[in-house]
Every structure is written in structure tokens, then in C-alpha cells.
Amino acid sequence: MASNLKNLSDYSDKNLTDMGKKKFAIVVSEWNEEVTESLYQGAYETLIANGVTKENIIKKMVPGSFELSMGAQWMAQKEEIDAVICLGCVIQGETRHFDFICDAVAHGITNVSLKYNKPVIFGVLTPNTQQQALDRAGGKHGNKGDEAAITAVKMLGF
């Protein structure tokens, strides 16, 4: 569903279970930091609101969205980590670089999830403009970080 039709911060309470003992890694891209830090804040606050303790949220930074897959793999391989949330932002530019990065990141994150049999969540914005990114990182369309965090929580309750 397009985010102009649904607020990214709205979610149902189906499949929500006790998260008090679950441990989450949030891997955040440094590239487009204004956007990714807002995504992180949304994810962090959503996890806290759903019963995750501060001690059970680990934040790790990677240089760019392309590196999210490797960062996710390093965290997912840790037995004590129950779910990994990947947050990034790749804004369409004038070249095909956008297409290659987005495709690699989507496949990489999916592969990590399947390899380690745990939720590894794709919280990567792929907007056409900086304003579209800001609108989806706490702006008028909500926060993709909220959506990514609640997706991790719901998958753990599956």
C-alpha cells in the first residue's frame, strides 16, 4: 500500500506478544543521516512502547545502505539476537546506481533472514526526493522506523 494512503506509524495490535526478554539489533546507515536517525528514533520508541527494555536494543552503524546486509549478518549470527532491523535511505539520483543499491540491499537483507531463520527487517526508504524521505521519517506519512520495528515484533509473535 502506498504511504500516501496509509500512515507508516499506524499498526494493528494483532500478533503482539511479550517482548520483555527479546533482544533487537538495529543496524542504521550513516548515509542520509538526517533521515536515518529519525528512522532509528521511530524504531527505538516503538520497541520501547512494546515492552522491549533499553538494554535489549543494540544500535550499530554502517557507512551506507549497501552495508546493511553485512551489518545485519554480523548481528543475526549472534545467538542472543532475536531480530534485526535494518534502516537506511537511498534517494533516486540521476544514474542507475539507485537501482543496483536498492536491489542488492533488498536481496541481501532477505538472504540474511533466511540464512539465520530469524526476522531481519527491511526498513529502507527508496524515495525519489529528500522531501519524500523526510515525509516518511517522522513527517506527514509517519515513520518507516515505526513500521520496521512493529514488523520485527509481529514476526517474533508469529
Side-chain angles (χ1 to χ4, degrees):
M1 176 179 285
S3 56
N4 65 339
L5 302 177
K6 178 189 181 302
N7 188 295
L8 295 168
S9 297
D10 293 339
Y11 56 88
S12 76
D13 59 2
K14 294 177 186 170
N15 258 8
L16 297 180
T17 59
D18 181 23
M19 292 291 124
K21 295 185 181 184
K22 299 295 185 184
K23 197 166 202 172
F24 294 79
I26 305 178
V27 183
V28 184
S29 168
E30 294 173 352
W31 196 260
N32 291 313
E33 187 173 32
E34 178 184 8
V35 174
T36 61
E37 276 304 309
S38 183
L39 295 174
Y40 171 76
Q41 283 304 313
Y44 180 86
E45 291 168 12
T46 297
L47 291 176
I48 295 294
N50 281 277
V52 180
T53 62
K54 293 177 184 180
E55 304 79 41
N56 285 340
I57 301 172
I58 300 166
K59 179 183 183 183
K60 294 290 188 177
M61 302 295 292
V62 295
S65 290
F66 186 80
E67 291 77 26
L68 287 169
S69 299
M70 180 58 79
Q73 181 166 296
W74 286 340
M75 297 311 293
Q77 71 186 5
K78 296 177 182 282
E79 198 169 308
E80 68 272 16
I81 298 294
D82 295 294
V84 180
I85 300 167
C86 299
L87 302 174
C89 178
V90 183
I91 299 172
Q92 176 71 59
E94 297 176 3
T95 68
R96 294 187 57 217
H97 178 77
F98 172 88
D99 299 320
F100 294 116
I101 296 298
C102 293
D103 186 58
V105 174
H107 282 94
I109 290 171
T110 300
N111 289 338
V112 173
S113 185
L114 296 172
K115 179 177 180 179
Y116 290 98
N117 200 34
K118 59 178 72 173
V120 180
I121 308 304
F122 183 87
V124 180
L125 292 174
T126 57
N128 290 318
T129 67
Q130 177 79 10
Q131 188 58 53
Q132 286 178 344
L134 294 170
D135 289 345
R136 289 155 179 81
K140 68 181 181 181
H141 294 303
N143 192 320
K144 181 75 171 176
D146 295 343
E147 182 189 58
I150 205 65
T151 299
V153 167
K154 286 183 170 218
M155 288 305 294
L156 288 174
F158 181 76

